[in-house]
Amino acid sequence: MIEKPDWGPLATYAPNKTEPVHNWFYYKESFSKQLVMKVLNLFGAREGNLVLDPFCGVGTTMLACKEMGIDSVGFDAHPLAVFVSRVKLRDYHRGEILREMDRILESKFVKPKLLIKNKILKRGFPKHSLEEIIFYRDLIMQARDKDVRDFLLLGLMNVAMRCSYINKDGAVIKIKKRKNIPLPRKVLKNQFERMLKNLDRIKFQRSRVRADFGDARKLGLTDNVADFIITSPPYLNKREYEKIFSIEQGLFLDMVGFGSYSDYIGSDIRELEKDSAKLLNVLGDETNKLPKTANAYFMDMFQAIEEMYWVCIPGAKVAVVVGNGCFPTRVVDSDVILSKIAESVGFRAKRILVLNKRWCTKKRTKKVGIMRESLLLWEK
Ligand SMILES: C[S@@+](CC[C@H](N)C(=O)[O-])C[C@H]1O[C@@H](n2cnc3c(N)ncnc32)[C@H](O)[C@@H]1O
């Protein structure tokens, strides 16, 4: 275990805020493009290699690989994450985007019929803003080219959140009425133009890239294909993605035919009984001392790590960013436990680089212990 605090900020989304295209969607749990690039350099990745991210979120790993001309493939169980990854990773014909932008921005506003039952949606927006958002959404849905449609939808999604009362606080959506919220029509053009400018600022090298729906525990890839894995699974006891994007999902994605989110790591506590012998083998008595949710999480991660092992070529290198779990009575050292699991499936766990340390607290006041956020380095 080695302390590496200078890489700490890179384990967060913050550096992506000023990075073109990476900043098209705020996904709190993302790591940064810079972290991916540092790991690619550390691993000596080059053209012709394939990088896998089995928990790809909004595609940071793949986008960084595309900038470096390295092939990559990513999977996520969250429809919104896959949608955002795909929009960020595509190559676009600007002419078509500009044509559709003009059509949409020059259309005369016609009040749509609001048939919305969802309470958060109704309370989350000033009525007129919601009407404008739905008006623009329906115009965007008429775009001839699907890629252009998705590009514009992502732009509108960002605008919708800025023009709402919605405040995402950790894992919960809060409605906070505020004054001076901009009207969608005032900011939409600017948003589209900013995204287009980003496309000029980002430099891609030739490479192949794919983002797909998938469950990290059964990816459906052939064995021995990945030269490297750079990834970050959900952190133990942090279930932030499930509900937090329900507005975006309901307003924009359900109609594009994106599925629902069900294969979340650690969510199926019933799994515990079925297959806990493997975990018991690795962790011994520790298994019985872990909270139930932690056991479910590690059993799912066991499967995901086995899957990583099979898809890796011999000699492949793996980097996993993960945080420890905070419970009212203890901290669970996920970094150490996942490394033990990795060794048990055949990886060599080489290092744990400790990037960040935070207090785990009970009811936000009583200190329970220190939680690490670490970068785990393994080799097949
Ligand atoms: C820490 S985030 C990854 C963020 C990513 N590194 C980025 O920069 O955007 C973990 C991701 O794992 C996804 N996830 C949860 N369960 C999954 C599963 N069974 N298979 C694949 N992805 C899953 C979540 O939806 C979430 O997007």
Side-chain angles (χ1 to χ4, degrees), residues 27 30-31 54-55 58 60 76-78 214-216 232 234 241 261 263 265:
Y27 203 55
S30 290
F31 48 42
F55 299 98
V58 291
T60 315
D76 203 285
H78 198 311
D215 182 344
S232 175
Y241 333 79
Y261 192 26
D263 295 324
I265 285 285

Side-chain angles (χ1 to χ4, degrees), residues 272 279 283 287-288 290-300:
L272 194 62
L279 200 59
L283 302 180
T287 326
N288 301 322
L290 288 174
K292 265 192 173 181
T293 49
N295 269 315
Y297 173 82
F298 289 119
M299 299 245 305
D300 281 351

Side-chain angles (χ1 to χ4, degrees), residues 76-95:
D76 203 285
H78 198 311
L80 181 71
V82 177
F83 172 80
V84 174
S85 294
R86 287 181 176 166
V87 175
K88 284 159 73 179
L89 290 165
R90 277 182 190 134
D91 299 312
Y92 291 97
H93 300 290
R94 276 150 235 220

Side-chain angles (χ1 to χ4, degrees), residues 162 185 194 241 257:
R162 262 167 53 210
R185 81 178 114 93
R194 191 178 68 82
Y241 333 79

Side-chain angles (χ1 to χ4, degrees), residues 214-247:
D215 182 344
R217 294 166 294 181
K218 35 183 182 336
L219 293 172
L221 293 174
T222 40
D223 290 355
N224 298 315
V225 285
D227 298 279
F228 305 108
I229 293 180
I230 302 176
T231 196
S232 175
Y235 294 5
L236 171 59
N237 225 9
K238 287 196 116 190
R239 308 271 297 271
E240 303 199 332
Y241 333 79
E242 278 172 299
K243 299 207 179 87
I244 203 91
F245 297 116
S246 58
I247 306 252

